[in-house]
Amino acid sequence: MQTDIDPRSLIGRRAYDRDGARIGTVDEVYLDDATGTPEWAAVRTGLFGRDAFVPLKPSEVVDGVLRIPYERSLIREAPDLGVGRHLSPEQELRLYHHYRLSLPPESPIDPTHEP
């Protein structure tokens, strides 16, 4: 993800999957506790849908929209963690597992703990 972008500017942007299918609109952005950099976005997936968490590190803003390098089905199957709250280390671990991401080296998340 571009590190020079203000996380607040992501709110309200449309989000698309790797194939160009629209996922929804960015509802919230979650920052890394240690670094303060944007780490996750909650994307509203439909008119009456829920928010799906997506990783921002491999995603990028292109032509004013958030491009997420995952299939729509994987994004929609992301763990339902609710929005408006701080993500716990256990919840983050579930997301890392879901997207098959490696934990950052400085991560306080315990990879031996299974959610």
Side-chain angles (χ1 to χ4, degrees):
M1 159 117 197
Q2 300 147 333
T3 56
D4 60 340
I5 193 164
D6 180 351
R8 293 171 295 207
S9 73
L10 291 174
I11 307 287
R13 288 189 190 263
R14 288 173 292 168
Y16 292 84
D17 76 352
R18 72 177 186 188
D19 299 319
R22 185 167 180 195
I23 303 300
T25 304
V26 177
D27 233 5
E28 293 192 37
V29 175
Y30 292 78
L31 307 179
D32 179 88
D33 287 341
T35 66
T37 58
E39 188 170 17
W40 302 98
V43 176
R44 175 72 54 182
T45 60
L47 184 59
F48 299 107
R50 66 177 185 89
D51 282 283
F53 282 84
V54 297
L56 289 173
K57 184 145 184 155
S59 302
E60 59 185 344
V61 175
V62 178
D63 297 328
V65 299
L66 182 64
R67 301 279 178 188
I68 305 161
Y70 296 97
E71 290 181 358
R72 186 163 136 172
S73 60
L74 181 69
I75 294 166
R76 288 192 169 180
E77 293 168 0
D80 187 359
L81 304 175
V83 294
R85 299 181 297 225
H86 181 269
L87 290 176
S88 71
E90 292 79 15
Q91 289 171 319
E92 282 193 80
L93 184 59
R94 287 178 59 195
L95 290 170
Y96 274 98
H97 283 308
H98 178 75
Y99 288 105
R100 295 185 176 102
L101 295 169
S102 298
L103 291 172
E106 70 281 354
S107 175
I109 300 171
D110 178 5
T112 62
H113 179 266
E114 287 296 321

